[in-house]
């Protein structure tokens, strides 16, 4: 492992793993080797982790006797590591036993903290090992803070985590469903998604009915809003080229639906659940009246929302949206591909089941959509029945149909034509 010389001449070791921007992870206990939450299977997929070994562990040497101010030394060790890495500010993560160290470092060096992630054990009261001066300093910390705990952590951990988050002016609290004392091992992928979303400055999150929904936003806050909703198996990044160009005149919100991207993967997927996520997202962010562009599965959810909540949306764009006739032939079982996925595989099975046997009331209520609607068809290369797509457009009172010969991924494969169609419809 590489080493560096700390402030008092002590040689300390650290390990680096993963890809992306650096995240400094403080040691989570008194054991010998450098370890950190999410390593090796979680966070290392999103960030390049710097795993600091504690004094006296592994390749680290530790001078001093029983009177040594160990906590003060360790805070100075973190500062020495920052300088060694050549970073002006650091993203810092502390868990369990290193939580106090992370808090003390943030209190003593607030200008050196880019972000602070605390995986709260819930064992101690907030500020239990902090002086009043340190607690007061944390109350002025301007860096973003995430406090994460497991829903099944013993005792009153979620409340303790909430109290800890309250120390900061604007901390984000996350309670990981199904997790206990070690959320990074109970569900490494869920842990990594939550932390990665927090650390990405382009990603924000909102909680709707207990489900954490991640989204990306571009454009001026003063510009009229438009919401982009991906198809099955995708996420908000699918819209990047479109979102970037729309952001010249619009405030663009691109959402990760449940079970996709950096949002929660709670299981239990359906068009109704995606519809309700959209409704809650719009309500929580105060986006009533926004235009909504949905692709494929996201378009189906958007159409159901327009049926259920007339007046909620401004304009509606349905790109290659399944018209919700039973599939003929029906889709059978699909084998999960090998390797990690950017979405929860049960989404495939759940949506296929509904496409095979959709609620006929959904088709009957296309006439209830009062929102001005643009239906974008992909032409002969599409897997969507184009005649039924035209029928759907004919049933929506204020709808127009445009065909762009691109197949199912119109906005991806024909972005210029797609944007031109949006502009003619009044979105641009």
């Amino acid at each position: 492992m590489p080493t560096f010389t700390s402030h008092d001449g002590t040689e300390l070791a650290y390990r680096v793993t993963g890809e992306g921007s650096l995240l400094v992870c403080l040691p989570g206990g008194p054991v010998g080797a450098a370890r950190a939450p999410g390593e090796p299977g979680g966070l290392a997929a999103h960030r390049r982790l710097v795993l600091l070994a504690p004094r006296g562990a592994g390749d680290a040497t530790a001078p001093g006797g029983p009177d040594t101010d160990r906590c003060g030394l360790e805070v100075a060790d973190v500062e020495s590591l920052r300088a060694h890495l050549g970073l002006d500010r650091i993203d810092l993560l502390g868990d369990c036993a290193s939580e106090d160290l992370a808090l003390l470092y943030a209190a003593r060096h607030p200008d050196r903290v880019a972000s602070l992630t605390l995986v709260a054990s819930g064992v101690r009261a907030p500020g239990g090992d902090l002086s009043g001066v340190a607690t007061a300093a944390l109350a002025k910390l301007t860096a973003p803070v995430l406090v994460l705990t497991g829903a099944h952590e013993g005792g009153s951990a979620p409340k303790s985590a909430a109290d800890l988050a309250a120390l900061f002016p604007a901390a984000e609290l996350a309670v990981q469903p199904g997790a206990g004392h070690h959320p990074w091992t109970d569900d490494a992928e869920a842990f990594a998604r939550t932390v990665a979303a927090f650390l990405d400055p382009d990603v924000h999150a909102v909680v709707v009915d207990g489900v954490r929904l991640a989204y990306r936003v571009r454009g001026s806050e003063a510009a009229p809003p438009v919401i982009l909703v991906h198809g099955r198996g995708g996420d908000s990044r699918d819209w990047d080229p479109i979102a970037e160009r729309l952001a010249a005149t619009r405030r663009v919100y691109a959402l990760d639906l449940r079970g996709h991207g950096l949002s929660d993967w709670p299981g239990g997927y359906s068009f109704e659940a995606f519809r309700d996520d959209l409704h809650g997202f719009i309500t929580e962010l105060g986006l009533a009246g926004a235009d909504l562009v949905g692709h494929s599965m996201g378009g189906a959810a958007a159409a159901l929302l327009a049926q259920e909540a007339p007046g909620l949306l401004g304009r509606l764009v349905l790109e290659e949206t399944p018209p919700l006739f039973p599939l003929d032939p029906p889709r059978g079982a699909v084998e999960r591909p090998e390797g990690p996925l950017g979405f929860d595989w049960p989404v495939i099975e759940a949506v296929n089941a509904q496409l095979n046997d959709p609620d006929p009331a959904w088709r009957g209520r296309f006439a209830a959509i009062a929102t001005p609607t643009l239906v974008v068809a992909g032409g002969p290369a599409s897997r969507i029945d184009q005649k039924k797509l035209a029928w759907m457009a004919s049933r929506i009172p204020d709808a127009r149909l445009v065909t762009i010969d691109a197949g199912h991924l119109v906005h991806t494969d024909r972005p210029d034509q797609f944007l031109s169609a949006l502009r003619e419809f009044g979105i641009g």
Side-chain angles (χ1 to χ4, degrees), residues 8 20 35 45 74 84 157 169 175 178-179 181 187 232 238 252-253 256 260 272 309 323 331 339 357 376 412 428:
D8 62 350
R35 302 176 65 185
E74 290 179 339
H84 168 76
V175 179
H181 188 64
D187 189 338
R232 182 173 61 174
D238 294 352
V252 183
Y253 297 82
D256 287 355
H260 295 78
E272 298 96 326
R331 290 179 183 167
D357 187 22
V376 179
T412 299

Side-chain angles (χ1 to χ4, degrees), residues 291-315:
D291 297 332
L292 179 58
V293 180
H295 173 241
S296 194
M297 179 192 77
L304 296 185
L305 177 59
Q307 293 176 3
E308 294 289 333
L312 181 66
L313 305 176
R315 292 178 176 83

Side-chain angles (χ1 to χ4, degrees), residues 196-263:
F198 165 72
L199 292 173
D200 189 332
D202 295 328
V203 176
H204 306 267
V206 63
V207 177
V208 174
D209 292 332
V211 177
R212 187 182 185 86
L213 299 176
Y215 65 97
R216 290 174 166 84
V217 62
R218 291 179 172 88
S220 169
E221 293 184 14
V226 59
I227 302 166
L228 308 179
V229 189
H230 61 82
R232 182 173 61 174
D235 61 44
S236 56
R237 294 171 299 178
D238 294 352
W239 293 103
D240 279 353
I242 298 296
E244 184 175 353
R245 293 169 67 177
L246 283 177
T249 56
R250 289 298 194 110
R251 180 71 164 174
V252 183
Y253 297 82
L255 172 66
D256 287 355
L257 290 169
R258 67 169 63 201
H260 295 78
L262 295 178
S263 290

Side-chain angles (χ1 to χ4, degrees), residues 34-276:
R35 302 176 65 185
E39 195 280 323
L43 273 179
H46 301 270
R47 298 295 291 251
R48 192 178 182 202
L49 309 181
V50 177
L51 315 173
L52 175 63
R55 287 182 167 242
D59 297 332
T61 60
D67 295 330
T68 300
D69 178 9
R70 184 177 184 87
C71 195
L73 287 173
E74 290 179 339
V75 169
D77 290 341
V78 178
E79 176 62 4
S80 296
L81 174 62
R82 179 202 62 77
H84 168 76
L85 295 172
L87 300 174
D88 182 56
R89 300 194 303 161
I90 55 174
D91 292 314
L92 186 64
L93 184 149
D95 79 293
C96 297
S98 64
E99 183 183 304
D100 280 341
L101 175 56
L103 288 167
L104 286 171
Y105 180 83
R108 296 184 188 182
H109 301 281
D111 57 330
R112 296 302 190 185
V113 177
S115 72
L116 179 62
T117 300
L118 301 169
V119 187
S121 67
V123 172
R124 66 161 181 73
D129 294 326
L130 301 175
S131 68
V133 173
T135 302
L138 293 174
K140 299 177 181 179
L141 185 69
T142 58
V145 178
L146 172 68
V147 179
L148 187 152
T149 190
H152 300 310
E153 173 69 69
S156 58
K159 182 182 183 304
S160 295
D163 291 342
L164 176 59
L167 287 177
F168 304 94
E172 183 178 343
L173 174 66
V175 179
Q176 184 172 315
H181 188 64
H182 298 294
W184 57 90
T185 56
D186 293 335
D187 189 338
E189 291 183 349
F191 172 81
R193 284 194 301 273
T194 301
V195 177
F198 165 72
L199 292 173
D200 189 332
D202 295 328
V203 176
H204 306 267
V206 63
V207 177
V208 174
D209 292 332
V211 177
R212 187 182 185 86
L213 299 176
Y215 65 97
R216 290 174 166 84
V217 62
R218 291 179 172 88
S220 169
E221 293 184 14
V226 59
I227 302 166
L228 308 179
V229 189
H230 61 82
R232 182 173 61 174
D235 61 44
S236 56
R237 294 171 299 178
D238 294 352
W239 293 103
D240 279 353
I242 298 296
E244 184 175 353
R245 293 169 67 177
L246 283 177
T249 56
R250 289 298 194 110
R251 180 71 164 174
V252 183
Y253 297 82
L255 172 66
D256 287 355
L257 290 169
R258 67 169 63 201
H260 295 78
L262 295 178
S263 290
D264 281 349
W265 297 10
Y269 304 107
S270 65
F271 285 125
E272 298 96 326
F274 298 133
R275 173 200 66 197
D276 294 344

Side-chain angles (χ1 to χ4, degrees), residues 241-242 245 404 406 410-424:
I242 298 296
R245 293 169 67 177
I404 299 173
V410 180
H411 73 270
T412 299
D413 294 340
R414 297 287 188 273
D416 290 340
Q417 291 175 261
F418 183 77
L419 284 166
S420 178
L422 293 188
R423 284 193 296 271
E424 291 178 11

